[in-house]
Amino acid sequence: MKITAILVALSVTASAAKVYHLSAARDATVSYSGLKNPDGSFESLTPKGGQSTLTTFKGSNDYSRILLGFHVPAKVKDPSLITKCVLNVPVPKDAPKQDYSLTAYTASSNWDEETVNGATKITSTKELGTVSVPKNKNPGPIDVTGACQAAAEGNFSLFVDTNQPMVTFYSRSSGKQSFTLEMTY
């Protein structure tokens, strides 16, 4: 009886899930706009990786998206076995004074933080999840399990969009709280 209980306890311990807490490895705001900078160049062609903030906005013709890139820990040998993956949305630096929503989408990972811009061909194929944010409240997490499970070569990326109003967050290079991920494997 005691041996069976010990074996069951060891089996449960050995198969216990591991939770990884990950910060974005890279992030950027990607602008899609016809607006021009003071120097005459198009805003959408200006790389915004490495800046201290990330912005998402959806206007009638102009919009910006937040692009996040993550590395899967080396101990995760088969990403398809990830059981849960949650994007923790930080408290915004600047948020609208109205209800809004944030939606995460899969994104291709072939981008560089220092050069990514609106002309970079980053595909976005699948909506992963949405969080509704009531006026004067902080966002909650977004389930992005599908993106984590589909990670290729240890990397995956996400776009974060708003339903319309501008929402600004701190980026990873700001040194302040930014987007993180909880991955259960």
Side-chain angles (χ1 to χ4, degrees):
M1 211 37 127
K2 286 183 179 182
I3 293 175
T4 303
I6 291 171
L7 289 175
V8 168
L10 287 174
S11 173
V12 170
T13 303
S15 65
K18 172 81 173 146
V19 178
Y20 296 93
H21 300 275
L22 310 170
S23 295
R26 54 196 169 136
D27 59 18
T29 296
V30 181
S31 175
Y32 304 89
S33 128
L35 300 175
K36 289 191 174 186
N37 294 318
D39 67 1
S41 64
F42 284 99
E43 180 190 24
S44 61
L45 300 178
T46 304
K48 294 178 173 47
Q51 294 184 344
S52 63
T53 59
L54 302 167
T55 301
T56 182
F57 168 75
K58 192 169 282 182
S60 56
N61 293 321
D62 303 319
Y63 65 99
S64 295
R65 307 173 91 182
I66 295 170
L67 182 58
L68 305 169
F70 293 92
H71 296 303
V72 177
K75 291 181 180 181
V76 177
K77 301 296 183 199
D78 183 356
S80 69
L81 298 177
I82 293 169
T83 57
K84 186 167 185 154
C85 205
V86 177
L87 179 67
N88 292 310
V89 180
V91 174
K93 175 187 178 294
D94 297 304
K97 303 290 187 229
Q98 66 185 62
D99 295 352
Y100 64 97
S101 64
L102 297 169
T103 302
Y105 297 85
T106 60
S108 56
S109 289
N110 58 339
W111 59 279
D112 179 80
E113 185 177 51
E114 298 304 317
T115 61
V116 68
N117 62 44
T120 309
K121 304 293 185 217
I122 302 169
T123 58
S124 179
T125 57
K126 180 181 173 188
E127 182 178 321
L128 296 163
T130 298
V131 61
S132 295
V133 186
K135 178 181 174 181
N136 299 323
K137 299 290 182 186
N138 293 326
I142 302 174
D143 187 321
V144 296
T145 303
C148 295
Q149 291 171 334
E153 298 175 11
N155 297 305
F156 66 96
S157 294
L158 307 168
F159 274 122
V160 177
D161 287 340
T162 182
N163 62 321
Q164 183 177 5
M166 184 179 292
V167 188
T168 303
F169 297 92
Y170 288 107
S171 72
R172 67 183 194 88
S173 60
S174 71
K176 299 185 179 181
Q177 183 183 5
S178 191
F179 290 87
T180 60
L181 201 71
E182 284 185 28
M183 179 186 293
T184 306
Y185 177 71

